[in-house]
Amino acid sequence: MIQLKILSGSTAGTEVVARRFPFSVGRNSTCDLQITDPGVWDQHFQINLALSGGFQLMANADTAVVIEGKPVQKALLRNGETIEIGTTKILFGLSATKQKGLAVREFLTWSALVALCFGQIALIYKLLR
């Protein structure tokens, strides 16, 4: 679904993939992503699925959240945006997708093509006799 990569702070380099929503971020141990850096509140913000199909960040009433240099309380997140809370910067992005194996489909397609070729050869042979 989405991936949050911490760019600065004590846990810099950490990557977290969010698969369930709402996804909460804060200092509290009950948060899905726990950050204990200065300026981070117990329940700093949460990310929800928006009705429009995107992801919506909702900051708690007393907290400060900055997205791409602009303070916000509520915002739709876009791939590659930087979220700042306290002294921590977080990169918001879409997580990598896993491609399903296509070996069975490919085998069936090639088998059908070979059967079609043999069928055409047999038909031509029968018509020429």
Side-chain angles (χ1 to χ4, degrees), residues 3-16 33 35 37 68 80-85 87-93:
Q3 180 175 341
L4 299 173
K5 181 176 182 180
I6 300 176
L7 301 175
S8 65
S10 62
T11 56
T14 303
E15 293 183 12
V16 176
L33 175 58
I35 301 173
D37 292 337
E68 296 298 322
E81 286 188 322
T82 304
I83 304 167
E84 297 177 41
I85 56 171
T87 59
T88 305
K89 288 186 180 182
I90 303 169
L91 179 66
F92 172 84

Side-chain angles (χ1 to χ4, degrees), residues 13-35:
T14 303
E15 293 183 12
V16 176
V17 176
R19 289 184 169 79
R20 284 186 252 160
F21 296 95
F23 185 84
S24 61
V25 177
R27 182 179 291 273
N28 198 334
S29 62
T30 61
C31 289
D32 298 309
L33 175 58
Q34 185 180 9
I35 301 173

Side-chain angles (χ1 to χ4, degrees), residues 98-111:
K98 294 181 182 178
Q99 182 176 354
K100 293 182 180 180
L102 300 176
V104 173
R105 290 182 187 170
E106 188 174 342
F107 173 76
L108 292 173
T109 301
W110 283 108
S111 299

